[in-house]
Amino acid sequence: VQALVDTMALELRQAAAGGARRLVLTPGNYGMDFLKGGTLDLPGQVPVVRCSNFVGEALDSARLEGFHKILLVGHIGKFVKLAGGIFNTHSRWADGRTEIFCAHAALCGADRETAQTLMDSATTDACLALVKEAGLEKAVLSSLLAAIQDHLDRRAGEGVQVGAVLFSNQFGPLG
């Protein structure tokens, strides 16, 4: 675990030493594949660093290295956890995916049956299908993204612009 964090910190240090002040962080292969697909139009030479499950450590290191603009790109299965303030996205550390989906769906008007089905869902893609079927997709994604933004802003601190792009392999870009 520490080796992954140390490797990430080294990559961030090297990118900063090269003069970069903007950065893209992604947990792994899904994010890298999404970026290679060209859905996002990234300006110039923005370094992309894999942060694995250590989103919090990556943000902390990036801030310390002087990055001012950070974009996180990740699968909804990992990044929905950010809406609950969970910055280590490994399932062994904390899961909460369906609980977070359920809470935001309830805030957006989901009935008890939908909430229970969300809680019983095995994947975030199943959760997405459910909120879509309930006519709540836009409201729930908006609520999740707002919560993610709040947690990212708090963790990144003053003087750092941070944001997140969420996607699903099944449903594509989500917000």
Side-chain angles (χ1 to χ4, degrees), residues 3 6 9 11 19 49 51 55 60-61 78-79 83 91 105 115 139 144 160 170:
D6 292 345
E11 286 183 47
V49 175
C51 62
V55 178
D60 296 345
S61 292
K78 287 260 184 223
F79 279 5
S91 59
L144 286 169
V160 178
Q170 182 178 341

Side-chain angles (χ1 to χ4, degrees), residues 128 130-142 171 174:
L128 285 167
L130 274 165
V131 296
K132 188 176 194 132
E133 184 180 311
L136 297 170
E137 178 184 30
K138 187 173 183 176
V140 170
L141 286 172
S142 179
F171 295 99
L174 300 172

Side-chain angles (χ1 to χ4, degrees), residues 57-85:
E57 287 90 342
L59 285 172
D60 296 345
S61 292
R63 183 184 62 247
L64 290 172
E65 293 297 338
F67 288 95
H68 301 294
K69 294 183 179 184
I70 304 168
L71 180 65
L72 289 94
V73 177
H75 188 274
I76 184 76
K78 287 260 184 223
F79 279 5
V80 70
K81 296 176 184 186
L82 299 176

